[in-house]
Amino acid sequence: MKKSNLRLLIALVFFVVSHGISAKTEIKNLVTEYLTNPVGIDIIKPRLSWQLFSTETNVMQSAYEIRMASSSNNLIKGKDLIWSSGKILSDQSVNIEYNGPELQSKQRVYWQVRIWDQKGKVSKWSQPAFWEMGLLQTTDWKAKWISANEDKTDSPLPCPYFRKQFSTAKTIQSARIYVTSLGLYQLFLNGEKVSNDLFSPGWTSYNKRLQYQTYDVTSLLKNENAIGAILGDGWYRGRIGWARNKNYYGNKLALLLQLEIKYSDGSAETIISDENWKTSTGPILASGIYDGETYDARLEKKGWSTSTFDDNQWNSVIILDHSKDMLVASQSNPVQGTIEIKPIAIITTPKGETVLDMGQNMTGWLRMKVKGEQGNKVSLSFGEVLDKEGNFYRDNMRSAKTTDTYILQGDEEETFEPHFTFHGFRFVKLIDYPGTPQLDDFTGVVIHSDMQPTGSFSCSDSLINQLQHNIQWGQRGNFLDIPTDCPQRDERLGWTGDAQVFSMTAAYNFNVAPFFTKWSKDIAADQHPDGKIPHVIPDVMLGREGGSTAWADASVIIPWTVYQVYGDKRILEDQYESMKAWVEFMKSQSNDDSLWTKGFHFGDWLAFATTWSDYPGATTEKDLIANAYFYYSTQLLSKAAKVIGKTDDVQKYEALCNKIKEAFNKEYVTPNGRLVSHTQTAYVLALAFGLLPDELQTKATEYFANDVRRFGHLTTGFVGTPLLCHTLSATGHDDLAFMLLTRKDYPSWLYPVTQGATTIWERWDGQKPDGSFQDVGMNSFNHYAYGAIGEWLYSYVAGLQIDPENAGYKHFNLCPHIGGGLTNAKAEFHSMYGTILSAWTKEGETFIYNIKIPANTTATIELPLAKANKVVMNNKELIQSKNNGLKEDTDKVIVNLGSGNYTFKYPIKAVK
Ligand code: BGC
């Protein structure tokens, strides 16, 4: 090394030491409101999160400093700062509220952060991140609602096209489009798609909350420009639900668009949707969510969204007098095409039909390449399963036509994909496809809300791995801007109960914070004045139906889940009044003793039913369920009140809990701990929600376990199933929980897997062993509710568990449960702090357990069947390591650890 270099190195080391910079901790993954560099948000105090990465163990943040500037250059130099937090003594690195000067419409803020670790060493500043505000005031909207002058108002009508031509003379510095629609829109600028987002502006309770999107279009603008938009009926005026067949929100589609251009010379220009736009129709003759799309390629208008197009034949638009008061910025992850899959086979069925097998039940559509004569008509009909003869089957779609039709223009090869429809399918029947179809002519486009994947689970049993695959695909198929029950039949609605039972499993698989935050706002928006919650959100039942126990409780449980998983207190603050109103509604329905016996309830939907003469099935009294959930939601409400400092309510609702509990025990529990509905679901609710007095726990647990043993299978429906294995494990019955998990006959989770399922079925026996189907009236093959077992796979089998007292994984538990003949299980979860790993292997009599604890968190580890003096941690005897709160229990050893990677090894007795 040259002398001068050596001197430089010494100087650098001196600098690092004297400035206390810990080179080992890096700050990465900066997000604003859970999103990376979001553009167009309207949250006036956005929350910021970051992650610490370190090669050291036991790393904690002791302080942080955030600084902000209006350019990334200034930020890096620390010049002209908009705001600096100063050094804040805090170990919080998730959801830190911006606390600087009031943010303005369209303002872009660059930010970075540095932290001090537990030894007081300061990190380097992170790389800059940014967010940009949208239009914060209604008056920021200069654009007008424009619509086509359609002579009929009854959809389906051809999709209207809109265009506007304009020039820009100067050099452009930046340009944004703010856009929304009544109905769905697709947007083009100079012939290019403005974004890959689908089904924009999303589905909300449109007349109360309508989302707009913001796009950075700087790079798409030229001197001569044209903007083009196509509108589709979508949920707005297409067929949806069954209360009012069409036009639920209105019968006119409309566009609202504002393009704001900033020139380099400091001037600005705004192009808005107004009377100067032109409209026409094009090739999309009809496009509906349930029924599919009809596209006549002969009617295509080449180059319609470019500046050279001649729009003389196009009509004037009309201005629609529609409010802009309900406009809100998009907050959730947009729907996008996330995966493309190729069909695995082209089948000729016994009926002689040509059917594609995609190999996976998926939600989205088929992109098709086709070559033929002008006017040839090809139809694609979508189905989920083949019947027992191997024929294409779609009776379970009910009235949904789920068919796309393409009429060829007769060019070279043509490519079709639909615009405003989606299908839930594995099989596609090709009708009148010209020529011989080849696998390569077709691609399945999988669409869903593009949530960040956060979790994976696997184990030594391939059938259970397929179950986990099916759960994740169920979520992909049904998290399409709102949580739907199913993606295929004439339903696809935001059923509250389904979403509620699945919410925690969902939050293991994907980051659902933005998704559920958005949907929760619609729960509150559609809640009735008396606190009743509609069965489906957005409510398309004309506000007539609602208030069912376990369904309406989504209003309390979903915000609570988001708080638990992401440490998000704001959702509790924002939803608090809605949560409280639901609890108050239940209270208003109950008698003086707080017993609730009124109203309509779905009950333990689709529980085990039989045709046996002496046992019709596992019916749990609806009132019992109602009172159990009344208790549970009230308990969560009082916990939420505590988290957000509503002290008076804490006591008020704790007192109400006590009353409900007393009433429950008086009405539904015998002095001997037997429940009046002697079903698995009843015991699960009473035990899991903590409704029973201590002295009856053991007896009730025995009744519960004996029932599981007596049947040798589950008997639960939507309400009992999610908590079934959980409650068995928590009451010391892992053996029974694993028995239920690994059972392959009906009814069980693995029965559909043995039948080739690739998603979760609505019913335990959607397709029977003889190949026949359940009732066509309700037989979806992609319904995630029963997939709620996923939570138990992550949290018990792999052992990666939230600590309910330390929301957001700031501290968590790692406590694997062994059983089911499994020789390994592994879960990984990308928490807000970083990746958590919990992976165990049983090699003969040796248990090997690998874990990862991210920086700025701690964990309590329970080593199953361990003896303290036999455990080796990272090649050292565990008992030699200090300060880890080592405890020995009869069947486990407990230690507390800080961040780092650890491997434990110890001998265990034989466990099956
Ligand atoms: C849906 C369900 C829903 C139920 C109400 C069905 O039609 O598909 O999943 O929860 O109705 O019980």
CSV table of all heavy atoms in Angstrom, one decimal, residues 242 398 484-486 489 491-493 495-499 535-536 541 548 551 600-603 605-606 718 762 777-778 780 783 785, ligand 1:
chain,number,residue,atom,x,y,z
A,242,TRP,N,-77.3,-8.8,-6.3
A,242,TRP,CA,-78.6,-9.2,-6.8
A,242,TRP,C,-79.7,-8.3,-6.4
A,242,TRP,O,-80.9,-8.5,-6.7
A,242,TRP,CB,-78.9,-10.7,-6.4
A,242,TRP,CG,-78.6,-11.0,-5.0
A,242,TRP,CD1,-79.4,-10.6,-4.0
A,242,TRP,CD2,-77.4,-11.6,-4.5
A,242,TRP,NE1,-78.7,-11.0,-2.8
A,242,TRP,CE2,-77.6,-11.7,-3.1
A,242,TRP,CE3,-76.3,-12.2,-5.1
A,242,TRP,CZ2,-76.6,-12.2,-2.3
A,242,TRP,CZ3,-75.4,-12.8,-4.3
A,242,TRP,CH2,-75.5,-12.8,-2.9
A,398,ARG,N,-73.6,-20.1,-11.9
A,398,ARG,CA,-75.0,-19.6,-11.7
A,398,ARG,C,-75.3,-18.7,-13.0
A,398,ARG,O,-75.0,-19.1,-14.1
A,398,ARG,CB,-75.1,-18.8,-10.4
A,398,ARG,CG,-74.8,-19.7,-9.2
A,398,ARG,CD,-75.3,-19.2,-7.9
A,398,ARG,NE,-75.0,-17.9,-7.5
A,398,ARG,CZ,-74.7,-17.5,-6.3
A,398,ARG,NH1,-74.7,-18.5,-5.3
A,398,ARG,NH2,-74.4,-16.3,-6.0
A,484,THR,N,-63.0,-10.5,-1.9
A,484,THR,CA,-64.3,-11.1,-2.4
A,484,THR,C,-64.4,-12.5,-1.8
A,484,THR,O,-63.5,-13.1,-1.4
A,484,THR,CB,-64.3,-11.1,-3.9
A,484,THR,OG1,-63.2,-11.9,-4.3
A,484,THR,CG2,-64.2,-9.8,-4.5
A,485,ASP,N,-65.7,-13.0,-1.8
A,485,ASP,CA,-65.9,-14.4,-1.4
A,485,ASP,C,-65.4,-15.3,-2.5
A,485,ASP,O,-64.8,-16.4,-2.2
A,485,ASP,CB,-67.4,-14.6,-1.2
A,485,ASP,CG,-68.3,-14.3,-2.4
A,485,ASP,OD1,-67.9,-13.4,-3.2
A,485,ASP,OD2,-69.4,-14.8,-2.5
A,486,CYS,N,-65.6,-15.0,-3.7
A,486,CYS,CA,-65.2,-15.9,-4.8
A,486,CYS,C,-65.1,-15.0,-6.1
A,486,CYS,O,-65.6,-13.9,-6.2
A,486,CYS,CB,-66.3,-16.9,-5.0
A,486,CYS,SG,-67.9,-16.3,-5.4
A,489,ARG,N,-68.6,-16.8,-9.9
A,489,ARG,CA,-70.0,-16.8,-10.1
A,489,ARG,C,-70.6,-15.4,-10.0
A,489,ARG,O,-69.9,-14.4,-9.9
A,489,ARG,CB,-70.7,-17.8,-9.2
A,489,ARG,CG,-70.7,-17.3,-7.7
A,489,ARG,CD,-71.3,-18.4,-6.8
A,489,ARG,NE,-71.3,-17.9,-5.4
A,489,ARG,CZ,-71.1,-18.8,-4.4
A,489,ARG,NH1,-70.8,-20.1,-4.6
A,489,ARG,NH2,-71.1,-18.3,-3.2
A,491,GLU,N,-71.4,-13.3,-8.1
A,491,GLU,CA,-71.4,-12.9,-6.7
A,491,GLU,C,-70.2,-11.9,-6.5
A,491,GLU,O,-70.3,-10.7,-6.6
A,491,GLU,CB,-71.4,-14.0,-5.7
A,491,GLU,CG,-71.6,-13.6,-4.3
A,491,GLU,CD,-72.4,-14.7,-3.5
A,491,GLU,OE1,-72.6,-15.8,-4.0
A,491,GLU,OE2,-72.7,-14.4,-2.3
A,492,ARG,N,-69.0,-12.5,-6.2
A,492,ARG,CA,-67.8,-11.7,-6.2
A,492,ARG,C,-67.9,-10.4,-5.3
A,492,ARG,O,-67.5,-9.3,-5.7
A,492,ARG,CB,-67.3,-11.3,-7.6
A,492,ARG,CG,-67.4,-12.5,-8.6
A,492,ARG,CD,-66.9,-12.1,-9.9
A,492,ARG,NE,-67.4,-13.0,-11.0
A,492,ARG,CZ,-67.0,-13.0,-12.2
A,492,ARG,NH1,-66.1,-12.2,-12.6
A,492,ARG,NH2,-67.5,-13.9,-13.1
A,493,LEU,N,-68.5,-10.6,-4.1
A,493,LEU,CA,-68.8,-9.5,-3.3
A,493,LEU,C,-67.9,-9.4,-2.1
A,493,LEU,O,-67.3,-10.5,-1.7
A,493,LEU,CB,-70.2,-9.5,-2.9
A,493,LEU,CG,-71.2,-9.6,-4.0
A,493,LEU,CD1,-72.7,-9.7,-3.5
A,493,LEU,CD2,-71.2,-8.3,-4.9
A,495,TRP,N,-67.8,-10.0,1.0
A,495,TRP,CA,-68.4,-10.6,2.2
A,495,TRP,C,-67.6,-10.4,3.4
A,495,TRP,O,-66.4,-10.9,3.5
A,495,TRP,CB,-68.7,-12.1,1.9
A,495,TRP,CG,-69.9,-12.4,1.1
A,495,TRP,CD1,-70.0,-12.6,-0.2
A,495,TRP,CD2,-71.3,-12.3,1.6
A,495,TRP,NE1,-71.3,-12.7,-0.6
A,495,TRP,CE2,-72.1,-12.6,0.4
A,495,TRP,CE3,-71.9,-12.2,2.8
A,495,TRP,CZ2,-73.5,-12.6,0.5
A,495,TRP,CZ3,-73.3,-12.2,2.9
A,495,TRP,CH2,-74.1,-12.5,1.8
A,496,THR,N,-68.2,-9.8,4.4
A,496,THR,CA,-67.4,-9.4,5.6
A,496,THR,C,-66.9,-10.6,6.4
A,496,THR,O,-65.8,-10.6,6.9
A,496,THR,CB,-68.3,-8.5,6.5
A,496,THR,OG1,-69.6,-9.1,6.6
A,496,THR,CG2,-68.5,-7.1,5.9
A,497,GLY,N,-67.8,-11.6,6.6
A,497,GLY,CA,-67.4,-12.8,7.4
A,497,GLY,C,-66.2,-13.5,6.8
A,497,GLY,O,-65.3,-13.8,7.6
A,498,ASP,N,-66.2,-13.7,5.5
A,498,ASP,CA,-65.1,-14.4,4.9
A,498,ASP,C,-63.8,-13.7,5.1
A,498,ASP,O,-62.8,-14.3,5.5
A,498,ASP,CB,-65.4,-14.6,3.4
A,498,ASP,CG,-66.7,-15.2,3.0
A,498,ASP,OD1,-67.7,-14.8,3.7
A,498,ASP,OD2,-66.8,-16.0,2.1
A,499,ALA,N,-63.9,-12.4,5.0
A,499,ALA,CA,-62.7,-11.6,5.1
A,499,ALA,C,-62.2,-11.6,6.5
A,499,ALA,O,-61.0,-11.7,6.8
A,499,ALA,CB,-63.0,-10.1,4.7
A,535,HIS,N,-73.8,-6.9,5.2
A,535,HIS,CA,-73.2,-8.2,5.0
A,535,HIS,C,-72.0,-8.1,4.0
A,535,HIS,O,-71.0,-8.8,4.1
A,535,HIS,CB,-74.1,-9.2,4.4
A,535,HIS,CG,-75.3,-9.5,5.3
A,535,HIS,ND1,-75.2,-9.5,6.6
A,535,HIS,CD2,-76.6,-9.9,4.9
A,535,HIS,CE1,-76.4,-9.8,7.1
A,535,HIS,NE2,-77.3,-10.0,6.1
A,536,VAL,N,-72.2,-7.2,3.0
A,536,VAL,CA,-71.1,-7.1,2.0
A,536,VAL,C,-70.7,-5.6,2.0
A,536,VAL,O,-71.5,-4.7,2.1
A,536,VAL,CB,-71.5,-7.6,0.6
A,536,VAL,CG1,-71.8,-9.1,0.6
A,536,VAL,CG2,-72.7,-6.8,0.0
A,541,MET,N,-76.5,-4.2,-1.4
A,541,MET,CA,-77.8,-4.8,-1.1
A,541,MET,C,-78.8,-3.7,-0.7
A,541,MET,O,-79.7,-4.0,0.1
A,541,MET,CB,-77.6,-5.7,0.1
A,541,MET,CG,-76.4,-6.7,0.0
A,541,MET,SD,-76.9,-8.2,-0.7
A,541,MET,CE,-75.7,-9.3,-0.1
A,548,SER,N,-75.2,-9.4,10.8
A,548,SER,CA,-75.1,-10.8,11.2
A,548,SER,C,-73.8,-11.0,12.0
A,548,SER,O,-72.7,-10.5,11.7
A,548,SER,CB,-74.9,-11.7,10.0
A,548,SER,OG,-74.4,-13.0,10.3
A,551,TRP,N,-70.0,-11.9,10.9
A,551,TRP,CA,-69.8,-11.2,9.6
A,551,TRP,C,-69.5,-9.7,9.9
A,551,TRP,O,-68.5,-9.1,9.6
A,551,TRP,CB,-71.0,-11.3,8.7
A,551,TRP,CG,-70.9,-12.5,7.8
A,551,TRP,CD1,-70.8,-12.5,6.4
A,551,TRP,CD2,-70.9,-13.9,8.2
A,551,TRP,NE1,-70.6,-13.8,5.9
A,551,TRP,CE2,-70.7,-14.7,7.0
A,551,TRP,CE3,-71.0,-14.6,9.3
A,551,TRP,CZ2,-70.7,-16.1,7.0
A,551,TRP,CZ3,-70.9,-16.0,9.4
A,551,TRP,CH2,-70.8,-16.7,8.2
A,600,PHE,N,-80.9,-11.4,12.4
A,600,PHE,CA,-80.6,-12.4,11.4
A,600,PHE,C,-79.1,-12.8,11.5
A,600,PHE,O,-78.3,-11.9,11.5
A,600,PHE,CB,-80.9,-12.0,10.0
A,600,PHE,CG,-80.3,-12.9,9.0
A,600,PHE,CD1,-80.9,-14.1,8.6
A,600,PHE,CD2,-79.1,-12.6,8.4
A,600,PHE,CE1,-80.4,-14.9,7.7
A,600,PHE,CE2,-78.5,-13.5,7.5
A,600,PHE,CZ,-79.1,-14.6,7.2
A,601,HIS,N,-78.8,-14.1,11.5
A,601,HIS,CA,-77.4,-14.5,11.5
A,601,HIS,C,-77.2,-15.6,10.5
A,601,HIS,O,-78.0,-16.5,10.4
A,601,HIS,CB,-77.0,-14.9,12.9
A,601,HIS,CG,-77.2,-13.9,14.0
A,601,HIS,ND1,-76.4,-12.8,14.0
A,601,HIS,CD2,-78.1,-13.8,15.0
A,601,HIS,CE1,-76.9,-12.0,15.0
A,601,HIS,NE2,-77.9,-12.6,15.6
A,602,PHE,N,-76.0,-15.6,9.9
A,602,PHE,CA,-75.6,-16.8,9.0
A,602,PHE,C,-75.3,-18.0,9.8
A,602,PHE,O,-75.3,-19.1,9.3
A,602,PHE,CB,-74.5,-16.4,8.1
A,602,PHE,CG,-74.9,-15.3,7.1
A,602,PHE,CD1,-74.4,-14.1,7.2
A,602,PHE,CD2,-75.7,-15.7,6.1
A,602,PHE,CE1,-74.8,-13.1,6.2
A,602,PHE,CE2,-76.1,-14.7,5.1
A,602,PHE,CZ,-75.6,-13.4,5.2
A,603,GLY,N,-74.8,-17.8,11.1
A,603,GLY,CA,-74.4,-19.0,11.9
A,603,GLY,C,-73.1,-19.6,11.4
A,603,GLY,O,-72.4,-19.0,10.6
A,605,TRP,N,-71.8,-21.1,9.1
A,605,TRP,CA,-72.1,-21.3,7.6
A,605,TRP,C,-71.3,-22.6,7.1
A,605,TRP,O,-70.1,-22.7,7.3
A,605,TRP,CB,-71.6,-20.1,6.9
A,605,TRP,CG,-72.1,-19.9,5.5
A,605,TRP,CD1,-71.3,-20.0,4.4
A,605,TRP,CD2,-73.4,-19.6,5.1
A,605,TRP,NE1,-72.1,-19.7,3.3
A,605,TRP,CE2,-73.4,-19.5,3.7
A,605,TRP,CE3,-74.7,-19.4,5.8
A,605,TRP,CZ2,-74.5,-19.2,2.9
A,605,TRP,CZ3,-75.8,-19.2,5.0
A,605,TRP,CH2,-75.7,-19.1,3.6
A,606,LEU,N,-72.1,-23.4,6.4
A,606,LEU,CA,-71.5,-24.6,5.8
A,606,LEU,C,-70.8,-25.5,6.7
A,606,LEU,O,-69.7,-26.1,6.4
A,606,LEU,CB,-70.6,-24.2,4.6
A,606,LEU,CG,-71.2,-23.4,3.5
A,606,LEU,CD1,-70.2,-23.1,2.4
A,606,LEU,CD2,-72.4,-24.2,2.9
A,718,PHE,N,-67.8,-22.0,8.6
A,718,PHE,CA,-66.9,-20.8,8.5
A,718,PHE,C,-66.5,-20.2,9.8
A,718,PHE,O,-65.5,-19.6,10.0
A,718,PHE,CB,-67.7,-19.7,7.7
A,718,PHE,CG,-67.6,-19.8,6.2
A,718,PHE,CD1,-67.5,-21.0,5.6
A,718,PHE,CD2,-67.8,-18.7,5.4
A,718,PHE,CE1,-67.4,-21.1,4.2
A,718,PHE,CE2,-67.7,-18.8,4.0
A,718,PHE,CZ,-67.6,-20.0,3.4
A,762,GLU,N,-65.2,-23.8,-1.4
A,762,GLU,CA,-66.2,-23.2,-0.6
A,762,GLU,C,-66.7,-24.2,0.4
A,762,GLU,O,-67.1,-23.9,1.5
A,762,GLU,CB,-67.3,-22.6,-1.4
A,762,GLU,CG,-68.5,-22.0,-0.7
A,762,GLU,CD,-69.5,-21.4,-1.6
A,762,GLU,OE1,-69.6,-21.8,-2.8
A,762,GLU,OE2,-70.2,-20.5,-1.1
A,777,GLY,N,-76.1,-24.3,-6.7
A,777,GLY,CA,-76.5,-23.0,-6.2
A,777,GLY,C,-75.4,-22.3,-5.4
A,777,GLY,O,-75.3,-21.1,-5.3
A,778,MET,N,-74.5,-23.1,-4.9
A,778,MET,CA,-73.4,-22.5,-4.1
A,778,MET,C,-72.2,-23.5,-4.0
A,778,MET,O,-72.1,-24.3,-3.1
A,778,MET,CB,-73.9,-22.3,-2.7
A,778,MET,CG,-73.5,-20.9,-2.2
A,778,MET,SD,-74.2,-20.6,-0.5
A,778,MET,CE,-73.5,-21.9,0.4
A,780,SER,N,-68.5,-22.9,-5.0
A,780,SER,CA,-67.3,-22.3,-5.6
A,780,SER,C,-66.0,-23.1,-5.3
A,780,SER,O,-65.9,-23.7,-4.2
A,780,SER,CB,-67.1,-20.9,-4.9
A,780,SER,OG,-65.8,-20.5,-4.9
A,783,HIS,N,-62.7,-20.2,-2.8
A,783,HIS,CA,-63.4,-19.4,-1.7
A,783,HIS,C,-62.4,-19.5,-0.5
A,783,HIS,O,-62.2,-20.6,0.0
A,783,HIS,CB,-64.7,-20.2,-1.3
A,783,HIS,CG,-65.9,-19.4,-1.3
A,783,HIS,ND1,-66.5,-19.0,-2.5
A,783,HIS,CD2,-66.6,-18.9,-0.3
A,783,HIS,CE1,-67.6,-18.3,-2.1
A,783,HIS,NE2,-67.7,-18.2,-0.8
A,785,ALA,N,-62.3,-18.8,2.7
A,785,ALA,CA,-62.6,-18.9,4.1
A,785,ALA,C,-62.0,-20.1,4.9
A,785,ALA,O,-61.3,-19.9,5.9
A,785,ALA,CB,-64.1,-18.9,4.3
B,1,BGC,C1,-71.0,-16.2,0.0
B,1,BGC,C2,-70.2,-16.5,1.3
B,1,BGC,C3,-70.9,-15.6,2.3
B,1,BGC,C4,-72.3,-16.1,2.5
B,1,BGC,C5,-73.1,-15.6,3.6
B,1,BGC,C6,-72.4,-16.7,0.2
B,1,BGC,O1,-73.1,-16.6,-0.9
B,1,BGC,O2,-70.3,-16.8,-1.0
B,1,BGC,O3,-69.0,-16.8,1.3
B,1,BGC,O4,-70.2,-15.4,3.5
B,1,BGC,O5,-73.0,-16.1,1.3
B,1,BGC,O6,-73.2,-16.5,4.4
